[in-house]
Amino acid sequence: MSKLVGSIKEAIVKSGLKSGMCISFHHHLRGGDYVLNMVMDEIAGLGIKGLTINASSIHDGHAPLIKHMADGVVAGLETNYIGPVVGKAISEGGLAKPVLFRTHGGRASDLETGRCKIDVAFIAAPASDCMGNCSGKIGKSACGSLGYAFSDAMYADKVIVITDDLQEYPFTGFSIPENTVDFVVCVDAIGDPGGIVSGTTRVTKSPVSLKIADYAARAIDASGYLKDGFSFQTGAGGASLATAVFLKKIMQKKQVTGSYALGGITGYLVDMLHAGCFRALQDVQCFDLQAVESLRNDPGHMEISASQYAGPASKSSAVSSLDVAVLGATEIDVDFNVNVHTDSNGYIMGGSGGHSDAAQECKMTVIVAPLTRKRYSVVVDRVTCISTPGSTVDVLITQYGAAVNPRRPELLERFQRYGIPVADIHALKEQADRLNGIPEPLCRDGKRVVANVQYRDGRIIDRIYQV
Amino acid sequence: MSKLVGSIKEAIVKSGLKSGMCISFHHHLRGGDYVLNMVMDEIAGLGIKGLTINASSIHDGHAPLIKHMADGVVAGLETNYIGPVVGKAISEGGLAKPVLFRTHGGRASDLETGRCKIDVAFIAAPASDCMGNCSGKIGKSACGSLGYAFSDAMYADKVIVITDDLQEYPFTGFSIPENTVDFVVCVDAIGDPGGIVSGTTRVTKSPVSLKIADYAARAIDASGYLKDGFSFQTGAGGASLATAVFLKKIMQKKQVTGSYALGGITGYLVDMLHAGCFRALQDVQCFDLQAVESLRNDPGHMEISASQYAGPASKSSAVSSLDVAVLGATEIDVDFNVNVHTDSNGYIMGGSGGHSDAAQECKMTVIVAPLTRKRYSVVVDRVTCISTPGSTVDVLITQYGAAVNPRRPELLERFQRYGIPVADIHALKEQADRLNGIPEPLCRDGKRVVANVQYRDGRIIDRIYQV
């Protein structure tokens, strides 16, 4: 018995995929992913129409989707993030149904509880045996963790693993087990290694970002959370990553041993593990080659599923024990609501990912963002789209210092005592307005809804309108 | 947030356990398990009654269950194996409802598909953090694989982890993740290491068993399956284990590199891995310390769940790729049906475990058994209980050579060509009768059914009657 089939097309036919069904993809190959496009081209060739795609993220490399949406091959999209290229097309009305945005944790829980259903999951796997025992840790297209694909494998009706490195059975290094897999296809390449992971993640040299990062690291130090057992999530964006660099110095100076760092893992977090700043890394996604290598080799670096990372239906998840999350924003308003879905013009160019998951669960959510970007205010009266409710956001750090949510007066006091410049968020908003002028509110009259934003508890908390 | 509670009693109360519910246990601590008894004593003390226990196996150390059955604390039992002590009590009518016997694979699949439901699962874990990330690989009570507990963790309403080695959070060596766990209890000892694993597994010195093992190994050699990529399951019983020892010599002489050995893993299979006879071990349960150590340290030794081992609802499992399984029998009849549930007197003293799972899926099922045991014929006209249907059994090896199922004439021919003594199974039955006399058929008239035997496809294939 072998599940190997000769081509993606054969696997699609054997899976019984029909028009109107729901298919899924994961995004661990990120900007380098070939699999979504290869699969969608075959599906289009087979004349299948009206599909819903449930993908953990959509990146700019998935631009061919725009044509499949226009041709009616794809009628619906459920995802946690959409990059600006596909985002622009959808914002201009390029998709029949409104997008359903979830969070990384919410997607896993919705699959687990049966709130959403996948008919056929396509799992890009950098290494797999002929029965579907597969992993992202090795292979020429190694991407590290396959955390977002675990729930797809477990809950989809049919599961197709697509690999470019066929291992002998049994592949003992599996992350996803054969008992969940229906078919295996071996192709020449599942992705472009250059786009899957960057060799190194460079820290920003922007003076504004470095200033923000410095303030953020000092705010964490001042918060009272930075002690032995400290846990920390940050992303790979400019100021976020730089915050980790500054924080490392503080932790080493103070000889603090944290428990774990979390989230998309970068070489900087790996360095912090090696430097003894943390005992463990909880890894749902690797952002660079150093992270991939560390996950492969370091027993302190653990691969976790999206449910284990942040599932709201989980009995607990890594974010449940999280002290501090450092997160970005395209906009933040005077009520501390954060927008990471659209830019100020209302164009889709992102998504929550794990943003609102981490913000709701951690002890202190720190948003790092400049006061303005180009000629747009980041601090605004009302965000264009609520991605993360202000009730779960504690601190905004801009280049002018910290603005603290009035819910957390004790943090304000700590920051002041520590000598971190603080500002009222309304004052920051006025300062931004003075620089950029008061932004014209976006006109939504008669505009179609192009996306609904589902919070991790299942509620639709905002809508995104056609531009 | 921590899930740690102060005692097993507190965990039971917090779980909401009520009379009439179903609770579960796994058997990785085997003869040394303290957890089932500790939990049942607390439950009895709380006045909870009429429970169904769904346990992967019941061992002789669980004799206190007999009193809990008599007192009405336990009304039902669903399991894959019952050792002779509790088996005798049930055979004599000691349990209110008939036992439901499943197979190791069938139990996992029934949980997965919702065919059965666990209200509260109690998971003995040799190492766990305060959030329930747990494993059997380390700790003073290390038992190795926790394969049979995976489905309990995933599908039970409430999951209580009971450990005697609390790890710092996050425990990166977890096998069962925190997102499935509700409560964690740390106790002094979850088991007696002497009973959990034996330091060494000794091969039989019985001349009859050695002769059987020699024939079995030669039959495997003759079968045509023993070539590169060969896969093999055997148990820890006398002749089964000895078969592995003889087979190792043949494999080394012929320089055959098998793909994997499977099942309950012993030091002998670990030796075969190290000797290059196999590339991998698929481990759903460790039988000795050497297996535990190997699972902890050797990347070729993989921990698998019961679903991945043998789930009939799995899309494939390790048994799907299995060439040869060497299995035992208390009785085998002229239609090759095998009994591993009762002795010839009809007393429950075992169960299928993975017997019928492996037999149905593998390419050649070899039953190793002496012609007679004490004064009972092993080869009989009709087994007292059908555990594994004869349609899935290919060969019986006794000390008189091989009897081949008429379904497999090509095997008979191969064995004859190879010079293995062969005998018709009817002739063996007559030979046994000459030695022991024709056994009196067990009288079942008016006897109560004390157990139903559920095959891996869900059908009840036999009943066991009160003795």
Side-chain angles (χ1 to χ4, degrees):
Chain A
M1 181 188 177
S2 162
K3 298 173 182 171
L4 267 182
V5 296
S7 66
I8 290 176
K9 184 176 169 181
E10 190 185 338
I12 293 166
V13 170
K14 286 195 164 158
S15 76
L17 183 68
K18 300 266 182 305
S19 292
M21 283 185 169
C22 178
I23 62 176
S24 83
F25 300 93
H26 70 75
H27 72 284
H28 291 285
L29 302 178
R30 307 190 310 137
D33 176 45
Y34 291 164
V35 167
L36 186 145
N37 294 340
M38 289 194 294
V39 167
M40 292 314 302
D41 285 351
E42 293 294 349
I43 284 173
L46 286 164
I48 295 170
K49 298 269 183 183
L51 294 179
T52 295
I53 292 182
N54 181 335
S56 51
S57 283
I58 296 295
H59 291 260
D60 288 351
H62 298 137
L65 259 188
I66 297 168
K67 185 169 185 307
H68 294 308
M69 296 188 303
D71 293 348
V73 177
V74 178
L77 179 60
E78 307 183 1
T79 189
N80 316 334
Y81 181 98
I82 304 178
V85 172
V86 177
K88 179 166 184 287
I90 290 170
S91 291
E92 292 173 349
L95 181 63
K97 296 179 201 164
V99 167
L100 181 64
F101 273 113
R102 291 191 179 87
T103 70
H104 282 333
R107 179 178 188 270
S109 286
D110 276 2
L111 285 167
E112 239 169 69
T113 58
R115 204 182 139 116
C116 69
K117 186 86 195 80
I118 294 168
D119 294 299
V120 184
F122 296 89
I123 297 184
S128 176
D129 64 29
C130 64
M131 301 301 277
N133 289 302
C134 63
S135 152
K137 290 180 193 171
I138 63 169
K140 65 180 175 184
S141 305
C143 60
S145 177
L146 286 185
Y148 294 122
F150 284 36
S151 48
D152 301 47
M154 199 162 301
Y155 299 106
D157 263 1
K158 297 288 175 186
V159 175
I160 299 171
V161 164
I162 301 171
T163 189
D164 53 10
D165 190 338
L166 202 60
Q167 300 284 314
E168 277 194 290
Y169 181 88
F171 172 39
T172 61
F174 74 96
S175 298
I176 290 174
E178 64 171 288
N179 49 299
T180 62
V181 177
D182 293 277
F183 305 104
V184 178
V185 188
C186 189
V187 297
D188 289 339
I190 59 170
D192 166 17
I196 296 169
V197 285
S198 49
T200 58
T201 318
R202 282 203 202 86
V203 168
T204 178
K205 288 181 178 166
S206 142
V208 169
S209 293
L210 288 172
K211 192 158 195 184
I212 293 169
D214 179 38
Y215 285 147
R218 287 167 62 194
I220 293 167
D221 190 12
S223 70
Y225 297 118
L226 191 68
K227 54 192 178 199
D228 283 347
F230 172 70
S231 55
F232 178 59
Q233 168 169 338
T234 190
S240 303
L241 198 57
T243 303
V245 176
F246 284 101
L247 190 64
K248 182 182 172 194
K249 287 182 194 156
I250 296 173
M251 291 178 79
Q252 288 187 303
K253 194 173 160 196
K254 294 182 79 166
Q255 296 189 294
V256 169
T257 305
S259 62
Y260 66 95
L262 176 64
I265 300 294
T266 61
Y268 281 94
L269 294 176
V270 171
D271 284 343
M272 291 177 87
L273 177 71
H274 293 166
C277 299
F278 296 105
R279 281 185 292 98
L281 299 177
Q282 301 208 48
D283 189 345
V284 68
Q285 182 184 7
C286 292
F287 278 139
D288 60 26
L289 282 175
Q290 208 185 328
V292 174
E293 196 192 330
S294 167
L295 180 64
R296 190 161 51 226
N297 298 322
D298 194 326
H301 188 156
M302 64 203 266
E303 180 178 20
I304 59 173
S305 69
S307 295
Q308 194 176 357
Y309 165 44
S314 293
K315 288 164 175 183
S316 72
S317 60
V319 292
S320 317
S321 300
L322 189 61
D323 288 326
V324 174
V326 174
L327 305 167
T330 59
E331 295 175 322
I332 178 168
D333 67 26
V334 292
D335 295 321
F336 286 85
N337 297 304
V338 172
N339 176 16
V340 287
H341 280 89
T342 73
D343 68 13
S344 308
N345 280 333
Y347 276 99
I348 293 168
M349 42 70 75
S352 182
H355 196 287
S356 54
D357 293 313
Q360 189 181 37
E361 296 278 340
C362 74
K363 298 199 183 77
M364 181 172 80
T365 303
V366 178
I367 303 297
V368 289
L371 187 66
T372 69
R373 273 199 197 93
K374 290 177 186 165
R375 285 183 314 167
Y376 289 104
S377 300
V378 170
V379 184
V380 294
D381 212 42
R382 186 70 183 170
V383 287
T384 308
C385 171
I386 297 179
S387 307
T388 296
S391 58
T392 65
V393 172
D394 301 293
V395 182
L396 164 67
I397 305 277
T398 71
Q399 66 268 45
Y400 300 102
V404 178
N405 192 319
R407 287 190 315 123
R408 302 296 301 269
E410 80 287 8
L411 285 177
L412 179 65
E413 201 182 301
R414 280 174 173 272
F415 295 168
Q416 284 172 320
R417 240 179 12 233
Y418 193 95
I420 297 168
V422 296
D424 183 89
I425 196 157
H426 294 88
L428 288 176
K429 189 249 157 191
E430 279 157 26
Q431 186 178 349
D433 285 349
R434 279 195 300 276
L435 289 166
N436 300 314
I438 295 175
E440 193 106 345
L442 291 177
C443 173
R444 291 170 167 181
D445 293 350
K447 294 279 172 68
R448 216 184 115 210
V449 171
V450 295
N452 290 301
V453 177
Q454 181 180 305
Y455 193 54
R456 62 199 307 258
D457 62 6
R459 283 180 304 128
I460 300 297
I461 56 167
D462 212 341
R463 298 186 151 70
I464 300 172
Y465 292 84
Q466 189 163 337
V467 178
Chain B
M1 181 187 178
S2 162
K3 298 172 182 173
L4 267 182
V5 296
S7 67
I8 290 176
K9 184 176 169 181
E10 189 184 338
I12 293 167
V13 171
K14 287 196 164 159
S15 76
L17 183 68
K18 301 264 182 306
S19 293
M21 284 186 169
C22 179
I23 62 176
S24 83
F25 300 93
H26 69 76
H27 72 284
H28 291 285
L29 302 179
R30 306 190 309 138
D33 176 45
Y34 291 164
V35 167
L36 186 145
N37 295 340
M38 290 194 294
V39 168
M40 291 314 302
D41 286 350
E42 293 294 349
I43 285 173
L46 286 164
I48 296 169
K49 298 268 183 184
L51 294 180
T52 295
I53 292 182
N54 181 335
S56 50
S57 283
I58 296 294
H59 291 261
D60 288 351
H62 299 137
L65 259 189
I66 297 168
K67 184 168 185 307
H68 295 308
M69 295 189 304
D71 294 346
V73 177
V74 178
L77 179 60
E78 308 183 2
T79 188
N80 315 334
Y81 182 97
I82 303 178
V85 172
V86 178
K88 180 166 182 289
I90 290 171
S91 292
E92 291 172 350
L95 181 63
K97 297 180 200 163
V99 168
L100 181 65
F101 273 114
R102 292 194 178 86
T103 69
H104 282 333
R107 178 178 189 269
S109 286
D110 276 2
L111 286 168
E112 238 169 69
T113 58
R115 204 182 139 116
C116 70
K117 184 86 197 80
I118 295 167
D119 294 299
V120 184
F122 296 90
I123 298 183
S128 176
D129 65 29
C130 63
M131 300 301 277
N133 289 302
C134 63
S135 151
K137 292 180 192 171
I138 63 169
K140 65 181 175 185
S141 305
C143 60
S145 176
L146 286 185
Y148 294 123
F150 283 36
S151 48
D152 302 46
M154 201 163 299
Y155 298 106
D157 262 3
K158 298 288 174 185
V159 174
I160 298 171
V161 164
I162 300 171
T163 188
D164 54 9
D165 190 339
L166 202 61
Q167 300 284 313
E168 277 195 290
Y169 181 88
F171 173 38
T172 61
F174 75 96
S175 297
I176 289 174
E178 64 170 292
N179 49 298
T180 62
V181 177
D182 293 278
F183 304 104
V184 178
V185 188
C186 189
V187 297
D188 288 340
I190 59 170
D192 165 17
I196 296 168
V197 285
S198 50
T200 59
T201 318
R202 282 203 201 86
V203 168
T204 178
K205 287 181 180 170
S206 142
V208 168
S209 293
L210 288 172
K211 193 158 194 184
I212 293 169
D214 180 36
Y215 285 147
R218 288 166 62 195
I220 293 167
D221 190 11
S223 69
Y225 296 119
L226 191 67
K227 55 192 178 197
D228 284 346
F230 173 69
S231 55
F232 179 59
Q233 168 169 340
T234 192
S240 304
L241 198 57
T243 303
V245 175
F246 284 102
L247 190 64
K248 181 182 173 193
K249 286 180 195 155
I250 297 173
M251 291 179 79
Q252 288 188 302
K253 194 172 158 197
K254 295 182 80 167
Q255 297 189 294
V256 169
T257 304
S259 62
Y260 66 96
L262 176 64
I265 300 295
T266 61
Y268 281 95
L269 294 176
V270 172
D271 285 343
M272 291 177 86
L273 177 70
H274 293 166
C277 299
F278 296 106
R279 280 185 292 99
L281 300 178
Q282 301 208 47
D283 189 344
V284 70
Q285 184 184 7
C286 293
F287 278 138
D288 60 25
L289 281 175
Q290 210 185 327
V292 174
E293 195 193 331
S294 168
L295 180 64
R296 190 161 50 225
N297 298 322
D298 193 326
H301 189 156
M302 63 203 266
E303 181 178 20
I304 59 173
S305 69
S307 295
Q308 194 175 357
Y309 165 44
S314 293
K315 289 166 174 181
S316 72
S317 58
V319 291
S320 316
S321 299
L322 189 61
D323 287 327
V324 174
V326 174
L327 305 168
T330 58
E331 294 175 322
I332 178 167
D333 68 26
V334 292
D335 295 321
F336 287 85
N337 297 303
V338 173
N339 176 16
V340 287
H341 280 89
T342 72
D343 69 13
S344 307
N345 281 333
Y347 277 99
I348 293 168
M349 42 70 74
S352 182
H355 197 287
S356 54
D357 292 314
Q360 189 181 38
E361 296 278 340
C362 75
K363 297 198 184 77
M364 181 172 81
T365 304
V366 178
I367 302 296
V368 289
L371 187 65
T372 69
R373 274 199 196 91
K374 290 177 188 166
R375 288 185 311 165
Y376 290 103
S377 300
V378 170
V379 184
V380 295
D381 212 41
R382 186 68 181 172
V383 287
T384 308
C385 171
I386 297 180
S387 309
T388 295
S391 59
T392 65
V393 172
D394 302 294
V395 182
L396 164 68
I397 304 277
T398 71
Q399 65 269 45
Y400 300 103
V404 178
N405 192 320
R407 288 189 318 120
R408 303 295 301 271
E410 81 287 7
L411 285 177
L412 179 64
E413 202 183 299
R414 280 175 174 272
F415 295 169
Q416 285 174 319
R417 243 184 2 238
Y418 193 95
I420 297 168
V422 295
D424 184 89
I425 196 156
H426 294 88
L428 287 175
K429 188 250 159 190
E430 278 156 29
Q431 186 178 347
D433 285 349
R434 279 194 301 274
L435 288 165
N436 300 316
I438 294 175
E440 194 107 345
L442 292 176
C443 173
R444 290 170 168 179
D445 295 349
K447 295 279 172 66
R448 214 184 116 210
V449 172
V450 296
N452 290 302
V453 177
Q454 180 180 304
Y455 193 54
R456 62 200 306 258
D457 62 6
R459 283 180 303 128
I460 301 297
I461 56 168
D462 212 342
R463 297 184 153 71
I464 300 172
Y465 293 83
Q466 188 163 340
V467 178

